[in-house]
Amino acid sequence: MHDVVVIGAGLAGAAATLRLTDAGKSVILIEARGRTGGRSYSRGIGDGAEVMEFGGSWITPWHDRMQSLAARFDIGLRPTHAVVERRWHDGETLRTDAPVAPVKRAAFDAGMAAIRQDALDMHDTTGRWHNGSPWADTSTADYLRAKAVPDSVVHEFMAWWAISGSGDPARINPLDPLYFASHHDGTLDGMMAILTHTIEGGVGTLTGRAISASGAEVILGDAVAEVGDRGDHVVLRLSSGRLVQGRHVIVAVAVNALVTIRFDPPLRPAQRRLTQERHKGRAVKMLLRVSGVSPGILVTGEAEGLRWMFSERLLTDGSTAIIGFGLHGEIGDPSFAAVSSAVKRFVPEATLLSHDWHDWGADPFSSGTWVSHGLGQSPLFAGPEWAPIGRVHFATSDIAPRESGWFEGAGVAGEAAADAILAARSIP
């Protein structure tokens, strides 16, 4: 019997496993997918051999756990390229001089100033979920209507929404982009100032190295179907029929995927409700290899469902990597022709060489991207609701006590669950 069974080989599971094995405990790690990484996914794109990250990638200056893990495994932090050129697309016209035509500039600036003030009002608050904001119970769509901003401001807000709020604006409050804008100068463009680095080789590479270094036994491609707490140990039944036992279990699985596991005793009512409703993160991250473009071009607007593009860096083959974001359901056609059309609208000088993406919404072991609370859901994510149930502990970025939704939050949650077990007397 192992000291701990960890379910989920994403960053939270990797962080928990590493913490436990560093303390001399025996761990078995079980992952439903045939790979490690969870909601990170580091692999090549098209004909290019260079590894890119299909899940989350950026870290901020205060993400100390990510920085520490990268340093431990000798993985570099790549500085985010500075924005050297700004462009805007209103659905009809690409502008490189200003967001809107001169006749509309005053209304645009006034609308953006009103949103900036709301962002600044969130500075030094407790965060985007629980800060007492007057907009916390208002949908993003209603928020923008209440601000009475022109369509140009709505388009700009929704572009940044695609990389932050990440879901249906009728079902999620507007606090996510406002909160992150508050970390700099309150402007939406100011978000780029906090997205300072990415992980060389992707977060999936970092996760894989952490798991390998732990020395834990790993089972891939075999989903956990049942978790049963027997009082003095826990028994897990896998989809293959295999039984695994441990003194404790850490469930390091996205909350949207918990519905695939039967728990005995059952989850708390709030947990069960959340597994049924699911969080609302539904972003699409598109990775593009193009020629004819320099790094550092940032474009916001509307093109074939993509709302945000940034030419991130030069690749080793001489092409340029572009990251594009949109919302699931708005990108109706992810074909090469449609994405090529979007690239031409945003970056006319570019030629698309290849593109790729991972459908996190259709992935049964994530059923969504990074966490985004639906209206009225925030109490379901509260810490007490996710406290251990007997010998069953929970650890995922979705419910992290800080930096929820980031890989930093995954590391924090994984290590906290491991520390709770290490403090228990039932493991000598």
Side-chain angles (χ1 to χ4, degrees):
M1 181 184 298
H2 291 81
D3 290 327
V4 184
V5 183
V6 176
I7 307 173
L11 189 66
T17 298
L18 195 62
R19 189 78 136 207
L20 291 164
T21 56
D22 281 349
K25 306 306 176 184
S26 64
V27 179
I28 183 169
L29 181 62
I30 304 172
E31 169 57 50
R33 299 179 177 93
R35 62 171 181 84
T36 62
R39 279 177 285 181
S40 61
Y41 193 5
S42 305
R43 60 178 175 84
I45 172 176
D47 297 329
E50 190 164 348
V51 170
M52 301 179 72
E53 179 55 66
F54 285 75
S57 53
W58 281 297
I59 65 173
T60 73
W62 58 89
H63 285 174
D64 56 292
R65 297 310 309 135
M66 293 300 291
Q67 295 174 47
S68 177
L69 284 170
R72 175 171 176 174
F73 298 110
D74 197 27
I75 294 178
L77 302 179
R78 179 189 298 111
T80 302
H81 199 288
V83 177
V84 297
E85 183 179 345
R86 191 68 170 86
R87 301 177 182 181
W88 302 263
H89 200 294
D90 62 7
E92 297 180 357
T93 304
L94 177 66
R95 298 185 179 279
T96 59
D97 56 342
V100 292
V103 68
K104 298 180 179 180
R105 186 60 187 266
F108 177 86
D109 288 347
M112 294 298 290
I115 288 173
R116 178 174 182 259
Q117 186 57 57
D118 288 341
L120 292 174
D121 288 344
M122 294 190 70
H123 188 64
D124 292 332
T125 65
T126 55
R128 65 193 194 273
W129 306 137
H130 308 285
N131 80 316
S133 167
W135 304 108
D137 297 320
T138 304
S139 74
T140 295
D142 286 342
Y143 165 76
L144 293 170
R145 280 191 285 268
K147 302 301 287 187
V149 295
D151 288 345
S152 57
V153 173
V154 173
H155 290 157
E156 184 66 10
F157 191 92
M158 290 305 300
W160 291 97
W161 176 259
I163 72 166
S164 54
S166 77
D168 182 349
R171 304 178 72 182
I172 306 171
N173 69 39
L175 302 190
D176 212 2
L178 297 177
Y179 177 65
F180 291 120
S182 76
H183 283 75
H184 186 53
D185 61 359
T187 66
L188 297 177
D189 276 40
M191 289 189 211
M192 293 301 292
I194 68 170
L195 304 176
T196 55
H197 291 85
T198 53
I199 301 292
E200 293 276 6
V203 178
T205 298
L206 173 60
T207 301
R209 289 195 189 178
I211 291 171
S212 178
S214 75
E217 181 181 348
V218 179
I219 298 174
L220 296 178
D222 203 353
V224 173
E226 294 182 8
V227 174
D229 188 338
R230 300 296 182 256
D232 61 349
H233 69 288
V234 182
V235 178
L236 291 78
R237 183 177 64 82
L238 310 189
S239 58
S240 64
R242 177 177 176 177
L243 298 180
V244 177
Q245 299 183 60
R247 294 182 177 87
H248 291 266
V249 62
I250 295 176
V251 184
V253 174
V255 296
N256 283 9
L258 285 177
V259 70
T260 64
I261 303 174
R262 178 180 176 272
F263 290 89
D264 180 22
L267 298 176
R268 297 183 178 93
Q271 292 174 307
R272 295 199 302 272
R273 177 183 157 192
L274 186 56
T275 63
Q276 296 298 322
E277 292 183 4
R278 304 187 179 187
H279 78 71
K280 306 306 178 186
R282 296 294 185 274
V284 171
K285 177 183 178 181
M286 195 78 68
L287 295 177
L288 321 170
R289 287 175 56 245
V290 304
S291 62
V293 177
S294 300
I297 300 174
L298 174 62
V299 195
T300 51
E302 170 60 36
E304 305 291 344
L306 290 173
R307 294 181 174 274
W308 191 97
M309 281 189 191
F310 180 57
S311 56
E312 182 191 37
R313 59 190 168 100
L314 290 176
L315 300 175
T316 54
D317 64 359
S319 64
T320 299
I322 289 181
I323 302 176
F325 281 93
L327 298 180
H328 208 282
E330 289 190 346
I331 300 176
D333 180 7
S335 68
F336 183 90
V339 175
S340 182
S341 174
V343 170
K344 285 294 184 184
R345 294 182 78 178
F346 275 179
V347 195
E349 67 271 33
T351 298
L352 181 65
L353 303 176
S354 59
H355 77 290
D356 204 351
W357 66 300
H358 182 75
D359 191 343
W360 296 103
D363 185 327
F365 305 115
S366 60
S367 295
T369 49
W370 58 87
V371 66
S372 193
H373 297 192
L375 293 174
Q377 284 190 328
S378 289
L380 307 181
F381 291 84
E385 300 292 353
W386 294 91
I389 301 176
R391 292 173 177 267
V392 180
H393 300 249
F394 301 92
T396 166
S397 175
D398 299 339
I399 58 169
R402 63 179 179 86
E403 300 305 306
S404 174
W406 296 81
F407 283 117
E408 178 76 4
V412 168
E415 291 179 355
D419 288 343
I421 290 174
L422 291 171
R425 295 180 179 179
S426 53
I427 296 183

